[in-house]
Structure formats: C-alpha cells, structure tokens
Amino acid sequence: MNAPMETSDGVAVIVLDNPPVNGLGHATRLAAFQAVHRAMKDPAVQAVVLTGAGNVFSAGADIREFNTLKSSAEPSLRTLIATIENAPKPVVAAVNDLAMGGGLELALGCHYRIATRGAKVALPEVKLGVLPATGGTQRLPRLIGVERALGMILQGNTVTAEELPQVFDEIATGDLIDAARALACKVAQVRPLPRVRDIQIDFPHHEAFFQFARTAVAAATPGLPAPRKCVDCVAAAVSLPIEQGLKLERESILALLNTTESKALRHVFFSERAASRIAGLDDGVQPRTIASAAVVGGGTMGVGIAMVFANAGLPVGIVETSQAALDKALAGIRKSYDSAREKGRIGAEEVQARMSRITGTTDLAAVHGAGIVVEAVFEDMDAKRQVFEALDRVMAPGTILATNTSTLNIDTIAAFTRRTADVVGMHFFSPAQVMRLVEVVRGAQTSPQVLATVMALARRLKKVGVVSGVCDGFIGNRMLQQYTLQAGFLLEEGCLPGQVDQAIERFGFAMGPFRMSDMSGNDIAWAGRKRRARENPGYKSSRIPDLVCELGRFGQKTGAGWYDYAPGDRKARPSQVVNDLIAAHSKELGIERRRISDQEIVHRLVLSLANEGARLLEEGIAQRASDIDVVYVTGYGFPRHQGGPMFHADTLGLPNVAVLMETFAAGRHGDLWEPAPLLAKLASEGGSFH
C-alpha cells in the first residue's frame, strides 16, 4: 500500500498502489500525501500525474478500514484533496478505467483530468445510506451542472468518461500515462491553476428547483434520510460559499453514519461479500474451468437461466423434449432481448451476440461436452429422476450436474446418478435474468471443488451466491413457509389481504405476500402445502389459501386470485368474493375477528422469518446470519435499508424480540412462536445474531 513516484522530463508520476482496487486507506493516503509534498519541493518537477496501479484509478474508501480509527486518521482524504487543490504545481489525474466514490472526488480535486476511453466513474455513496463527503456534492455541480450532478449523486450509478466532457479535459486514445505526461507538460506553466472550487454556479430560481427535488425525493425514497441530505448538500453548493458547503457535507455524513438505514445498507454491502466465503473449504481447492453450459427445460426458468449464461459470455444449449417447445423457448428469448433493445438497455449488436451464444436441441447428447448442466424442469421428484438418470448416462465425466429445484431434496436427486460428488443445487430466482440471488445447495456428497466452482461461476454470472445445506425449501423457502403461515393466520384473525400487503410494503417490501402469491401462482404454493401435509401429518396451515385455490383463483394467470384482475391488466383490485370467503371461514372457526395493527402485522411476518433463520443457523443449513439476510434482500424483496430479517431482529434487540414472541405465543397457534434455542439463548444474554 504505497504511492511510488517516478520523475522524468519534469513530470512526476505518482501511483496509488493498494490492490485490488486502490482503496484510499490510511497507508495509501499517507503515501500519496508524502509523494505530493516531495514533488512540490523538488525543483526538477514542473507538474505531477496522479494515477492508479493496474486497471483502476481508485474505487474510493478502503472497505477493510470501514468503522475503524484508520478510516478518519490524518491525512484524511479531505486533507489529501486540499493539499492537491492548493498545490503550486499542476496535478493531472489520469483515470484508468475506474474512479468510484472517493476516487472520483480525488480526481475532482486535481487541476486537470484525463481518462481512458470507456472509463467508468460514479458517486455511489447513497447506496450505502451516506453521501459523497469529500467534496463530491460541492465540486461535481460546479463542473456538470446542478441537475445532472444531483441525478448522479442520487442514483449512484456509473457513467463513462465520454459522457462527462466537462469533467475530463481529454480522453486518451493511446497509452494513458503517455497522454497524461503530454498534458502535464502542456499545462506546466499555466497560472493561476484551475480549481473546481473556484467555479461559480449560475442557477436561477434554485429555491423552487430544490423545493421540488426535496418533495420528489421524499416520495420516491420514503424513510431514507440519505437522499434528502444529498439534495441539501447540492443546494448548499448553489447558495453557500464552498467551505460552508464542505462543512455541511461533513456534518451530514456524520449524522447519516449513525442512522439505522445506513447501518443496514452497509451491513448488506459487507454481507454480500462475506457470502462468497465457504465455511470449511480448503483455500487450495481450485475451481473447474467452465467454458460452456446447458439447460434442460425451456420453460420460464430455463429460458431465464439460459439468458444468464449468454449474458455473461458463455455458450449455452437449451434441451427440450419437442421442437415446438424448443422453438417457443428460443422465440421467448429473442422477444425478451428485442424488448431490452427497444428500451435502450442493450444495442442491436449485443442482442445478436447474445443470441449467437444460445443454441437449442431435442437431443441431450448434443450438449454432452458442457462444463455444467442446469436442470430446470417441473418441480416433481419423478421428473427430476428421469432427467438426472439421463444426464448420468449422457454427460461427459466431470460435468457439474445442477438442479434448479426450490424445495426438493438434493441428496435424493444426487442418488439418481453414479456421480453424486458432481451434483449440486443452483436455485435461481424468477425472473432468473433479473434476480441476483442463487442459492447454492451443498449436498452430502457434493465435492468441495464442485462447490467452489459453482460459487465462482455465480460471481461470473454477476449473481450473489449463498451456500445452503439440504432441507425442505433450503434457506429462503423454508423461512418463507413461516412467513406465509403467519399471513394466513392474520386473515383468520381479522385482516384482509390488502391490509397485510400494504403494511409490509410500507415497511419496505417490494410486494406483500398475497400480491406476490398472485404473481407467482397460488397453485404452486398449494401443491407445496399438500406435499407437506402428506409428508408430515402434524403440518398446520390456514385453510383460507386452499379455499381460494379451490375456486380456481390461481392469481394473475387466471385473472383472479387474492385480488381481482381486469383482462390484460396486472393491477390488484380488492375482491369481495375473497373478503366474504375470509369472513365466513373465521365465523366457521368460531373466531371473533379483531382489529390488527400494521405494527403487529410487520412484527409477526418479519419475526417469523428471524426465528426460523435462527433454527437454520443451529442446524448448520445457513453458514452465518448475514447469509440469511443476503438471501432475503436479494431474492425475496426484503427492504435493503432494513438489512434483512436477522439484522432487523438485532435492531429491535433480541430481548425485545423474545418479549414480542411471548405475546404472540399467547394467541392463536401460539406453539409456532416457541423461540429457537439460539434466539432464546442470545436474548437471555443480551446478545445478537451478528
């Protein structure tokens, strides 16, 4: 972690060198600070080029120092930027491929900027519940204008250097350092040196603009303080001297760092990275090389999984039982890509490139040489048996045999083959080409190499892989059983579907349990309940969901489910039929319906998840509590700013959670509220899951 300096022809090149992304940790800041001072005192140096080692200028703060004293130790990033900005000799930022967060703020503090073609830049801090706090909210508006800067800061998304001609003085067409040296020589004698901080913002009627912006942000991000603080700081760039704006930035981030929302967002950020670490796996295990893939089944999930592989640059073959089914699958893929092209998400050339990677066949032997094959047929054990027996006969030795099952036993499926070590679960979430989560299910015989390969493949596919052990439903769907049980019992006791959905959506869920069920198909959950009832005579659930299904109300696909739907319209409308059915069933059970608060709804739904999550930890199905949070945030619509069910339980305080569960245990089906031993133990000790 250093910043070596090399001088020739009057230009000193200082290199930020802190692998893998040149994070601006204390050691790197100190080395850069010292190198800049040496360059300013050296009479042989006329100008300075600041760049990053490898292919990254800097990805900003060093995440290894988050929440440590080193993160704020001097020289701070603010001090380093001020030193460069006030330097008597010009400093040119040479941005090689990537400048994120503090990395971009450091570049904005330099006098000139040059970048490679296609270099990506962003201020993504809002995604962690904070804001750019080393001048980003003050300098960027001075360069690209208030409206565009505010948009970049609020969205936190990357843009290319070519899209920001006001920021970059040049785009290098050849070698970046050679071009940066040439620019440094050209400006070596320019005085006074240009400083972004000296640019005056002319933005008439800014009061009305920021009033509108605050209203829009509050509506779009309810309950999230960081976006509103971003608006306030950019407003300060317009109306206040820059030193006062920088002061407001510092005060704002200190306040935001202590909010539950920021703590939750940072928790998820680190948890996603921790999920890639596999407990008990030898560091020496080398993943297999995967050069091509195959998918058995061309339904909705199979098509989505095939697109995931093609999008990542991997050739993939789809295997179907008939030419008609295959043609339908390929047509669906083409339609999806064409829709993305029409919306401007990808270009025509990229559509053609992705389609060229996808082939179709009705002969399993045609994909014999694939490095991995993912089974994506109907969720039925006999159907899985037929597929895996065929895969065992046909696929080349060393092919990974993966199943996309969402609930069925991986070990039973593996036993259909003579290569149990090569069988693993890859549970994608629908739509697979959109959802980020993949539950990687480790069977009893799954080899460490296969597990390591699939986890590495998940990253290559731009997915978040989370390891799960074998049980009914794995991590996500097993916990979801408790969530949906509570949703059904809430209906028996006094709620209607709309109240439950609205309460949990106000908490931050993308969709409530009943709207979600209507979208995915109520008959799918019905089949699962019937299977569990057969396998476990003591299984209990509300009869209301079954009664809805017995009316043929399977959701959006039938035009009626928990809600009514107009033809061609997915808007959920309250159903009097369902509401009457619910009231009648409560009466039949002898239940006097009561008024249930939104808070009780949220507590019962979320804490049912956390309690089952504690059992998964005890049983070793989940490796760590943070993995459970990642599963729910990336796969089930749990609000990211709430951190996941385990984090939320910790936020409430486990002693308080235990008291709430005692209250619920005194009500109907109170036996479901017996605390998991781990939860009870931690609550009694005043501990937490994390």
Side-chain angles (χ1 to χ4, degrees):
M1 300 181 187
N2 51 47
M5 185 174 79
E6 177 187 326
T7 303
S8 65
D9 299 326
V11 177
V13 178
I14 299 173
V15 181
L16 303 170
D17 189 3
N18 181 11
V21 292
N22 300 324
L24 295 169
H26 180 253
T28 304
R29 299 194 306 270
L30 177 61
F33 178 81
Q34 292 171 339
V36 169
H37 270 285
R38 288 200 308 274
M40 294 304 133
K41 291 191 295 184
D42 188 343
V45 174
Q46 300 300 308
V48 171
V49 169
L50 180 65
T51 193
N55 296 322
V56 177
F57 178 73
S58 173
D62 191 331
I63 63 172
R64 292 167 293 194
E65 292 186 3
F66 270 33
N67 300 324
T68 70
L69 292 175
K70 283 188 175 182
S71 64
S72 58
E74 290 291 346
S76 66
L77 183 55
R78 280 186 290 273
T79 299
L80 176 59
I81 291 172
T83 298
I84 290 171
E85 195 169 47
N86 296 318
K89 301 172 186 178
V91 179
V92 176
V95 174
N96 40 340
D97 291 354
L98 189 72
M100 306 288 283
L104 177 56
E105 290 178 295
L106 177 59
L108 295 178
C110 295
H111 304 109
Y112 299 92
R113 287 156 295 280
I114 184 171
T116 55
R117 190 175 300 280
K120 295 180 175 62
V121 301
L123 293 174
E125 287 84 352
V126 72
K127 295 182 178 182
L128 295 181
V130 289
L131 49 69
T134 47
T137 67
Q138 303 304 297
R139 293 186 178 90
L140 192 62
R142 286 172 157 80
L143 282 171
I144 69 172
V146 170
E147 294 180 65
R148 186 155 189 214
L150 182 59
M152 272 188 67
I153 291 167
L154 287 174
Q155 294 166 10
N157 296 331
T158 58
V159 298
T160 63
E162 290 92 327
E163 296 176 77
L164 300 175
Q166 308 95 324
V167 172
F168 293 96
D169 301 279
E170 290 184 19
I171 301 296
T173 54
D175 181 81
L176 174 65
I177 301 304
D178 288 347
R181 283 180 176 277
L183 176 58
C185 288
K186 186 170 74 172
V187 301
Q189 303 307 317
V190 170
R191 299 295 185 277
L193 292 172
R195 302 190 307 173
V196 175
R197 66 177 292 139
D198 296 332
I199 298 173
Q200 298 299 309
I201 298 177
D202 182 17
F203 191 59
H205 312 299
H206 60 85
E207 295 93 345
F209 170 78
F210 285 112
Q211 182 178 355
F212 170 79
R214 289 184 179 96
T215 301
V217 163
T221 57
L224 293 177
R228 296 194 294 276
K229 290 285 189 183
C230 288
V231 175
D232 291 341
C233 287
V234 174
V238 178
S239 60
L240 298 175
I242 189 168
E243 283 302 329
Q244 292 184 37
L246 293 170
K247 181 174 182 289
L248 180 62
E249 252 190 5
R250 291 193 294 275
E251 293 171 348
S252 297
I253 194 170
L254 289 174
L256 289 170
L257 284 169
N258 288 317
T259 63
T260 300
E261 291 81 6
S262 178
K263 290 175 183 176
L265 291 166
R266 284 179 280 148
H267 165 72
V268 175
F269 176 84
F270 287 113
S271 297
E272 288 185 5
R273 283 145 185 81
S276 64
R277 298 196 292 271
I278 306 171
L281 192 69
D282 190 325
D283 290 340
V285 174
Q286 292 300 310
R288 298 177 188 176
T289 299
I290 302 295
S292 64
V295 178
V296 178
T300 301
M301 282 304 302
V303 160
I305 294 168
M307 292 174 68
V308 169
F309 283 112
N311 295 352
L314 277 168
V316 58
I318 300 177
V319 183
E320 256 295 355
T321 54
S322 70
Q323 190 62 45
L326 185 61
D327 291 343
K328 181 180 178 182
L330 294 173
I333 291 173
R334 166 63 76 173
K335 182 179 178 181
S336 180
Y337 281 144
D338 284 344
S339 175
R341 175 184 54 77
E342 290 166 4
K343 294 174 182 176
R345 294 174 184 164
I346 55 175
E349 290 183 4
E350 183 61 20
V351 169
Q352 193 55 41
R354 294 182 185 185
M355 285 299 302
S356 71
R357 298 180 193 124
I358 302 173
T359 55
T361 182
T362 57
D363 181 8
L364 187 60
V367 297
H368 162 84
I372 185 169
V373 57
V374 181
E375 165 274 311
V377 302
F378 187 70
E379 192 75 341
D380 173 79
M381 190 60 85
D382 190 55
K384 309 289 188 188
R385 178 185 59 77
Q386 294 179 47
V387 170
F388 274 82
E389 287 178 350
L391 292 174
D392 191 39
R393 290 192 303 269
V394 172
M395 301 308 294
T399 298
I400 294 175
L401 310 182
T403 173
N404 182 55
T405 181
S406 57
T407 58
L408 299 180
N409 191 300
I410 302 294
D411 294 329
T412 302
I413 293 172
F416 299 141
T417 77
R418 293 161 296 175
R419 46 173 105 179
T420 55
D422 287 332
V423 178
V424 68
M426 282 191 81
H427 178 210
F428 290 83
F429 286 69
S430 184
Q433 67 271 30
V434 175
M435 299 296 286
R436 297 175 62 222
L437 176 66
V438 177
E439 279 184 311
V440 177
V441 187
R442 171 169 43 186
Q445 302 298 319
T446 303
S447 77
Q449 187 185 48
V450 166
L451 189 63
T453 302
V454 173
M455 287 294 284
L457 179 62
R459 291 192 295 274
R460 184 176 174 186
L461 299 177
K462 297 184 179 178
K463 301 294 183 184
V464 179
V466 177
V467 174
S468 171
V470 176
C471 68
D472 186 354
F474 317 131
I475 295 173
N477 281 340
R478 176 167 150 182
M479 291 169 61
L480 190 67
Q481 291 176 38
Q482 301 303 315
Y483 177 87
T484 54
L485 282 178
Q486 288 302 317
F489 294 143
L490 283 164
L491 297 184
E492 290 182 355
E493 296 170 38
C495 290
L496 295 176
Q499 182 191 356
V500 176
D501 283 348
Q502 289 164 22
I504 201 69
E505 287 165 14
R506 278 192 287 268
F507 175 76
F509 267 77
M511 199 174 289
F514 300 109
R515 285 211 301 139
M516 177 64 75
S517 186
D518 271 2
M519 186 180 75
S520 60
N522 296 325
D523 52 327
I524 296 173
W526 191 26
R529 288 192 299 275
K530 288 188 284 190
R531 175 179 63 81
R532 293 185 186 100
R534 288 194 304 270
E535 296 172 354
N536 178 11
Y539 176 75
K540 67 169 69 174
S541 66
S542 171
R543 275 277 295 149
I544 293 173
D546 298 345
L547 295 173
V548 169
C549 288
E550 287 168 9
L551 294 176
R553 299 178 67 97
F554 296 153
Q556 292 180 5
K557 60 188 175 186
T558 59
W562 292 104
Y563 298 93
D564 292 333
Y565 300 90
D569 184 358
R570 294 190 174 189
K571 181 180 178 181
R573 297 171 173 83
S575 169
Q576 193 60 48
V577 170
V578 170
N579 292 350
D580 290 345
L581 179 154
I582 291 169
H585 187 67
S586 297
K587 184 176 181 180
E588 182 182 336
L589 293 174
I591 298 172
E592 184 177 347
R593 294 177 64 79
R594 64 185 176 88
R595 183 178 182 84
I596 300 176
S597 70
D598 285 1
Q599 185 180 60
E600 180 181 341
I601 293 170
V602 171
H603 280 156
R604 284 175 62 173
L605 294 181
V606 175
L607 296 184
S608 69
L609 292 174
N611 196 38
E612 193 65 19
R615 298 187 194 281
L616 289 169
L617 289 171
E618 290 172 315
E619 296 169 21
I621 301 298
Q623 297 185 105
R624 51 186 78 90
S626 61
D627 282 3
I628 294 172
D629 289 334
V630 170
V631 165
Y632 263 81
V633 168
T634 60
Y636 290 84
F638 199 100
R640 197 175 183 90
H641 68 275
Q642 299 283 10
M646 312 309 281
F647 180 88
H648 184 69
D650 281 349
T651 300
L652 291 175
L654 295 190
N656 296 326
V657 168
V659 170
L660 283 168
M661 291 175 66
E662 284 180 15
T663 303
F664 301 147
R668 280 182 54 78
H669 302 296
D671 55 314
L672 293 175
W673 287 105
E674 180 182 353
L678 176 61
L679 191 153
K681 177 177 180 293
L682 292 172
S684 67
E685 297 171 349
S688 66
F689 289 122
H690 299 94

